[in-house]
Short mmCIF file of all heavy atoms in Angstrom, two decimals:
data_model
loop_
_atom_site.label_atom_id
_atom_site.label_comp_id
_atom_site.label_asym_id
_atom_site.label_seq_id
_atom_site.Cartn_x
_atom_site.Cartn_y
_atom_site.Cartn_z
N LEU X 360 52.65 -36.95 104.80
CA LEU X 360 52.52 -38.37 105.13
C LEU X 360 53.90 -39.00 104.98
O LEU X 360 54.78 -38.63 104.19
CB LEU X 360 51.51 -39.05 104.19
CG LEU X 360 51.67 -39.05 102.72
CD1 LEU X 360 52.51 -40.24 102.25
CD2 LEU X 360 50.33 -39.05 102.00
N ARG X 361 54.07 -40.06 105.68
CA ARG X 361 55.33 -40.79 105.73
C ARG X 361 55.02 -42.35 105.81
O ARG X 361 54.33 -42.72 106.74
CB ARG X 361 56.15 -40.33 106.96
CG ARG X 361 57.54 -40.93 107.07
CD ARG X 361 58.24 -40.31 108.27
NE ARG X 361 59.62 -40.77 108.46
CZ ARG X 361 60.64 -40.28 107.86
NH1 ARG X 361 60.49 -39.19 107.14
NH2 ARG X 361 61.85 -40.79 108.07
N VAL X 362 55.67 -43.06 104.93
CA VAL X 362 55.44 -44.50 104.92
C VAL X 362 56.77 -45.22 105.24
O VAL X 362 57.77 -44.98 104.55
CB VAL X 362 54.92 -44.99 103.47
CG1 VAL X 362 54.74 -46.47 103.51
CG2 VAL X 362 53.64 -44.28 103.13
N THR X 363 56.74 -45.95 106.36
CA THR X 363 57.92 -46.83 106.64
C THR X 363 57.53 -48.30 106.52
O THR X 363 56.44 -48.69 106.92
CB THR X 363 58.38 -46.50 108.10
OG1 THR X 363 57.23 -46.64 109.00
CG2 THR X 363 58.95 -45.09 108.21
N LEU X 364 58.48 -49.07 105.97
CA LEU X 364 58.24 -50.47 105.77
C LEU X 364 58.55 -51.16 107.07
O LEU X 364 59.75 -51.33 107.46
CB LEU X 364 59.14 -50.88 104.60
CG LEU X 364 59.01 -50.19 103.22
CD1 LEU X 364 59.85 -50.82 102.18
CD2 LEU X 364 57.55 -50.22 102.76
N GLU X 365 57.59 -51.71 107.65
CA GLU X 365 57.73 -52.42 108.93
C GLU X 365 56.52 -53.32 109.19
O GLU X 365 55.42 -53.00 108.75
CB GLU X 365 57.93 -51.42 110.13
CG GLU X 365 56.72 -50.49 110.24
CD GLU X 365 57.01 -49.49 111.35
OE1 GLU X 365 57.88 -48.60 111.18
OE2 GLU X 365 56.35 -49.52 112.41
N ASP X 366 56.81 -54.40 109.84
CA ASP X 366 55.64 -55.31 110.23
C ASP X 366 54.87 -54.65 111.37
O ASP X 366 55.49 -54.00 112.28
CB ASP X 366 56.24 -56.69 110.65
CG ASP X 366 56.85 -57.46 109.49
OD1 ASP X 366 56.36 -57.30 108.37
OD2 ASP X 366 57.86 -58.14 109.72
N PRO X 367 53.60 -55.02 111.41
CA PRO X 367 52.76 -54.45 112.52
C PRO X 367 53.14 -55.14 113.87
O PRO X 367 53.73 -56.18 113.85
CB PRO X 367 51.35 -54.69 112.16
CG PRO X 367 51.44 -55.87 111.21
CD PRO X 367 52.77 -55.72 110.48
N PRO X 368 52.84 -54.55 114.99
CA PRO X 368 53.11 -55.19 116.29
C PRO X 368 52.31 -56.46 116.45
O PRO X 368 51.30 -56.67 115.77
CB PRO X 368 52.75 -54.12 117.31
CG PRO X 368 51.78 -53.26 116.59
CD PRO X 368 52.13 -53.24 115.14
N PRO X 369 52.78 -57.35 117.23
CA PRO X 369 52.04 -58.60 117.44
C PRO X 369 50.64 -58.41 117.91
O PRO X 369 50.33 -57.43 118.56
CB PRO X 369 52.86 -59.36 118.53
CG PRO X 369 54.20 -58.74 118.54
CD PRO X 369 54.00 -57.27 118.09
N GLY X 370 49.76 -59.27 117.49
CA GLY X 370 48.37 -59.08 117.85
C GLY X 370 47.46 -59.16 116.63
O GLY X 370 47.93 -59.00 115.49
N GLU X 371 46.20 -59.47 116.86
CA GLU X 371 45.25 -59.62 115.77
C GLU X 371 44.89 -58.28 115.15
O GLU X 371 44.93 -57.24 115.82
CB GLU X 371 44.00 -60.31 116.25
CG GLU X 371 44.19 -61.74 116.66
CD GLU X 371 42.88 -62.44 116.96
OE1 GLU X 371 41.84 -61.76 116.85
OE2 GLU X 371 42.89 -63.60 117.43
N SER X 372 44.56 -58.31 113.86
CA SER X 372 44.14 -57.13 113.19
C SER X 372 42.83 -56.57 113.78
O SER X 372 41.99 -57.34 114.17
CB SER X 372 43.92 -57.35 111.69
OG SER X 372 43.34 -56.32 111.05
N SER X 373 42.75 -55.19 113.95
CA SER X 373 41.55 -54.60 114.43
C SER X 373 40.71 -53.99 113.31
O SER X 373 39.74 -53.31 113.63
CB SER X 373 41.91 -53.63 115.46
OG SER X 373 42.75 -52.54 114.97
N LEU X 374 41.15 -54.11 112.08
CA LEU X 374 40.39 -53.60 110.97
C LEU X 374 39.97 -54.79 110.01
O LEU X 374 40.64 -55.80 109.99
CB LEU X 374 41.28 -52.65 110.11
CG LEU X 374 41.42 -51.24 110.70
CD1 LEU X 374 42.37 -50.43 109.81
CD2 LEU X 374 40.07 -50.57 110.74
N PRO X 375 38.87 -54.66 109.30
CA PRO X 375 38.46 -55.76 108.43
C PRO X 375 39.44 -56.00 107.33
O PRO X 375 39.96 -55.14 106.75
CB PRO X 375 37.04 -55.33 107.89
CG PRO X 375 37.15 -53.78 108.01
CD PRO X 375 37.97 -53.51 109.24
N GLY X 376 39.67 -57.26 107.02
CA GLY X 376 40.57 -57.61 105.90
C GLY X 376 40.06 -57.11 104.58
O GLY X 376 40.88 -56.86 103.67
N ASP X 377 38.78 -56.91 104.39
CA ASP X 377 38.19 -56.45 103.14
C ASP X 377 38.50 -54.98 102.99
O ASP X 377 37.73 -54.17 103.58
CB ASP X 377 36.70 -56.84 103.12
CG ASP X 377 36.05 -56.36 101.81
OD1 ASP X 377 36.82 -56.00 100.91
OD2 ASP X 377 34.82 -56.40 101.72
N LEU X 378 39.45 -54.62 102.24
CA LEU X 378 39.81 -53.18 102.07
C LEU X 378 38.61 -52.35 101.40
O LEU X 378 38.30 -51.28 101.71
CB LEU X 378 41.07 -53.04 101.21
CG LEU X 378 41.43 -51.66 100.88
CD1 LEU X 378 41.80 -50.85 102.13
CD2 LEU X 378 42.70 -51.69 99.94
N SER X 379 37.95 -53.10 100.43
CA SER X 379 36.90 -52.43 99.70
C SER X 379 35.81 -51.86 100.61
O SER X 379 35.32 -50.76 100.46
CB SER X 379 36.28 -53.35 98.64
OG SER X 379 37.27 -53.67 97.71
N SER X 380 35.36 -52.70 101.58
CA SER X 380 34.30 -52.21 102.49
C SER X 380 34.74 -51.14 103.35
O SER X 380 34.02 -50.16 103.61
CB SER X 380 33.84 -53.42 103.34
OG SER X 380 34.85 -53.96 104.16
N ALA X 381 36.03 -51.17 103.80
CA ALA X 381 36.62 -50.08 104.59
C ALA X 381 36.64 -48.74 103.79
O ALA X 381 36.38 -47.67 104.31
CB ALA X 381 37.91 -50.43 105.16
N LEU X 382 37.02 -48.87 102.57
CA LEU X 382 37.11 -47.69 101.68
C LEU X 382 35.78 -47.08 101.39
O LEU X 382 35.58 -45.81 101.46
CB LEU X 382 37.82 -48.05 100.38
CG LEU X 382 39.31 -48.37 100.44
CD1 LEU X 382 39.78 -48.91 99.07
CD2 LEU X 382 40.13 -47.13 100.86
N VAL X 383 34.76 -47.90 101.18
CA VAL X 383 33.36 -47.47 100.93
C VAL X 383 32.90 -46.73 102.17
O VAL X 383 32.32 -45.66 102.07
CB VAL X 383 32.45 -48.60 100.59
CG1 VAL X 383 31.00 -48.09 100.59
CG2 VAL X 383 32.83 -49.10 99.17
N LEU X 384 33.15 -47.30 103.33
CA LEU X 384 32.75 -46.65 104.60
C LEU X 384 33.40 -45.31 104.74
O LEU X 384 32.78 -44.29 105.19
CB LEU X 384 32.95 -47.58 105.79
CG LEU X 384 32.52 -47.11 107.15
CD1 LEU X 384 30.99 -46.83 107.09
CD2 LEU X 384 32.83 -48.10 108.18
N ALA X 385 34.69 -45.23 104.47
CA ALA X 385 35.45 -44.01 104.65
C ALA X 385 35.00 -42.92 103.70
O ALA X 385 34.92 -41.78 103.97
CB ALA X 385 36.93 -44.21 104.43
N ILE X 386 34.64 -43.33 102.43
CA ILE X 386 34.13 -42.33 101.45
C ILE X 386 32.79 -41.82 101.93
O ILE X 386 32.50 -40.56 101.80
CB ILE X 386 34.02 -42.96 100.13
CG1 ILE X 386 35.46 -43.29 99.57
CG2 ILE X 386 33.29 -42.12 99.10
CD1 ILE X 386 35.49 -44.13 98.31
N GLU X 387 31.91 -42.69 102.41
CA GLU X 387 30.65 -42.31 102.92
C GLU X 387 30.79 -41.30 104.12
O GLU X 387 30.03 -40.40 104.22
CB GLU X 387 29.76 -43.50 103.34
CG GLU X 387 29.23 -44.33 102.15
CD GLU X 387 28.41 -45.50 102.66
OE1 GLU X 387 28.52 -45.79 103.88
OE2 GLU X 387 27.82 -46.18 101.83
N ASP X 388 31.75 -41.62 104.92
CA ASP X 388 32.04 -40.86 106.13
C ASP X 388 32.49 -39.40 105.73
O ASP X 388 32.43 -38.46 106.54
CB ASP X 388 33.07 -41.45 106.98
CG ASP X 388 32.54 -41.63 108.42
OD1 ASP X 388 31.48 -42.16 108.53
OD2 ASP X 388 33.26 -41.28 109.35
N SER X 389 33.08 -39.22 104.54
CA SER X 389 33.59 -37.93 104.17
C SER X 389 32.56 -37.04 103.50
O SER X 389 32.84 -35.88 103.25
CB SER X 389 34.76 -38.09 103.14
OG SER X 389 34.28 -38.68 101.89
N LEU X 390 31.36 -37.60 103.20
CA LEU X 390 30.32 -36.82 102.62
C LEU X 390 29.58 -35.90 103.61
O LEU X 390 29.51 -36.28 104.79
CB LEU X 390 29.29 -37.73 101.97
CG LEU X 390 29.92 -38.74 100.88
CD1 LEU X 390 28.77 -39.66 100.37
CD2 LEU X 390 30.47 -37.92 99.73
N GLY X 391 29.13 -34.80 103.14
CA GLY X 391 28.45 -33.85 104.02
C GLY X 391 29.36 -32.88 104.62
O GLY X 391 30.57 -33.03 104.72
N ASP X 392 28.74 -31.78 105.19
CA ASP X 392 29.49 -30.73 105.87
C ASP X 392 29.54 -30.98 107.35
O ASP X 392 28.42 -31.09 107.99
CB ASP X 392 28.88 -29.42 105.57
CG ASP X 392 28.96 -28.92 104.10
OD1 ASP X 392 29.95 -29.39 103.50
OD2 ASP X 392 28.01 -28.33 103.55
N TYR X 393 30.67 -31.16 107.92
CA TYR X 393 30.80 -31.37 109.35
C TYR X 393 30.69 -30.05 110.08
O TYR X 393 31.26 -29.04 109.65
CB TYR X 393 32.14 -32.02 109.64
CG TYR X 393 32.14 -33.56 109.40
CD1 TYR X 393 32.20 -34.09 108.13
CD2 TYR X 393 32.06 -34.41 110.51
CE1 TYR X 393 32.18 -35.42 107.97
CE2 TYR X 393 31.96 -35.78 110.41
CZ TYR X 393 32.10 -36.31 109.08
OH TYR X 393 32.03 -37.68 108.92
N PRO X 394 29.99 -30.01 111.18
CA PRO X 394 29.87 -28.77 111.97
C PRO X 394 31.19 -28.42 112.67
O PRO X 394 32.03 -29.38 112.88
CB PRO X 394 28.74 -29.08 113.01
CG PRO X 394 28.80 -30.53 113.15
CD PRO X 394 29.18 -31.11 111.77
N PRO X 395 31.42 -27.20 113.05
CA PRO X 395 32.56 -26.91 113.84
C PRO X 395 32.74 -27.79 115.07
O PRO X 395 31.69 -27.95 115.81
CB PRO X 395 32.44 -25.44 114.28
CG PRO X 395 31.48 -24.90 113.20
CD PRO X 395 30.59 -26.07 112.80
N PRO X 396 33.86 -28.36 115.34
CA PRO X 396 33.96 -29.37 116.42
C PRO X 396 33.76 -28.72 117.82
O PRO X 396 33.35 -29.44 118.77
CB PRO X 396 35.44 -29.77 116.43
CG PRO X 396 36.05 -29.11 115.27
CD PRO X 396 35.13 -28.24 114.58
N GLY X 397 33.84 -27.38 117.89
CA GLY X 397 33.63 -26.71 119.23
C GLY X 397 32.19 -26.40 119.48
O GLY X 397 31.81 -25.86 120.55
N ASP X 398 31.28 -26.57 118.50
CA ASP X 398 29.88 -26.24 118.67
C ASP X 398 29.28 -27.03 119.78
O ASP X 398 29.59 -28.22 120.00
CB ASP X 398 29.09 -26.45 117.39
CG ASP X 398 29.18 -25.30 116.40
OD1 ASP X 398 30.02 -24.40 116.61
OD2 ASP X 398 28.54 -25.35 115.36
N LEU X 399 28.36 -26.37 120.58
CA LEU X 399 27.76 -27.02 121.69
C LEU X 399 26.40 -27.67 121.32
O LEU X 399 25.65 -27.06 120.57
CB LEU X 399 27.52 -25.98 122.79
CG LEU X 399 28.71 -25.52 123.53
CD1 LEU X 399 28.34 -24.39 124.56
CD2 LEU X 399 29.47 -26.62 124.29
N LEU X 400 26.13 -28.88 121.83
CA LEU X 400 24.88 -29.56 121.61
C LEU X 400 23.96 -29.35 122.85
O LEU X 400 24.55 -29.38 123.96
CB LEU X 400 25.02 -31.02 121.30
CG LEU X 400 25.95 -31.36 120.10
CD1 LEU X 400 26.06 -32.86 119.92
CD2 LEU X 400 25.41 -30.84 118.79
N SER X 401 22.72 -29.22 122.64
CA SER X 401 21.77 -29.18 123.73
C SER X 401 20.47 -29.90 123.40
O SER X 401 20.27 -30.10 122.16
CB SER X 401 21.50 -27.76 124.22
OG SER X 401 20.91 -27.00 123.14
N LEU X 402 19.84 -30.28 124.41
CA LEU X 402 18.56 -31.09 124.24
C LEU X 402 17.38 -30.18 124.12
O LEU X 402 17.30 -29.24 124.80
CB LEU X 402 18.42 -32.03 125.44
CG LEU X 402 17.48 -33.21 125.37
CD1 LEU X 402 17.81 -34.16 124.22
CD2 LEU X 402 17.48 -33.92 126.75
N SER X 403 16.41 -30.53 123.24
CA SER X 403 15.16 -29.76 123.13
C SER X 403 14.04 -30.70 123.39
O SER X 403 13.70 -31.53 122.47
CB SER X 403 15.06 -29.13 121.78
OG SER X 403 13.80 -28.47 121.66
N VAL X 404 13.41 -30.74 124.56
CA VAL X 404 12.35 -31.62 124.85
C VAL X 404 11.03 -30.93 124.40
O VAL X 404 10.32 -30.27 125.19
CB VAL X 404 12.24 -31.93 126.38
CG1 VAL X 404 11.19 -32.95 126.69
CG2 VAL X 404 13.60 -32.38 126.83
N ARG X 405 10.74 -31.07 123.15
CA ARG X 405 9.59 -30.38 122.56
C ARG X 405 8.44 -31.40 122.41
O ARG X 405 8.60 -32.60 122.77
CB ARG X 405 9.92 -29.85 121.18
CG ARG X 405 10.68 -30.84 120.26
CD ARG X 405 10.69 -30.29 118.89
NE ARG X 405 9.35 -30.24 118.27
CZ ARG X 405 9.11 -29.74 117.09
NH1 ARG X 405 10.04 -29.23 116.36
NH2 ARG X 405 7.84 -29.75 116.62
#
Side-chain angles (χ1 to χ4, degrees):
L360 60 89
R361 184 179 182 87
V362 180
T363 50
L364 304 183
E365 57 184 69
D366 292 327
E371 294 186 3
S372 169
S373 59
L374 282 175
D377 181 11
L378 176 62
S379 297
S380 61
L382 289 172
V383 168
L384 184 58
I386 292 170
E387 288 180 348
D388 235 48
S389 67
L390 301 176
D392 294 326
Y393 278 76
D398 278 9
L399 291 175
L400 301 179
S401 60
L402 194 63
S403 175
V404 184
R405 50 166 294 176

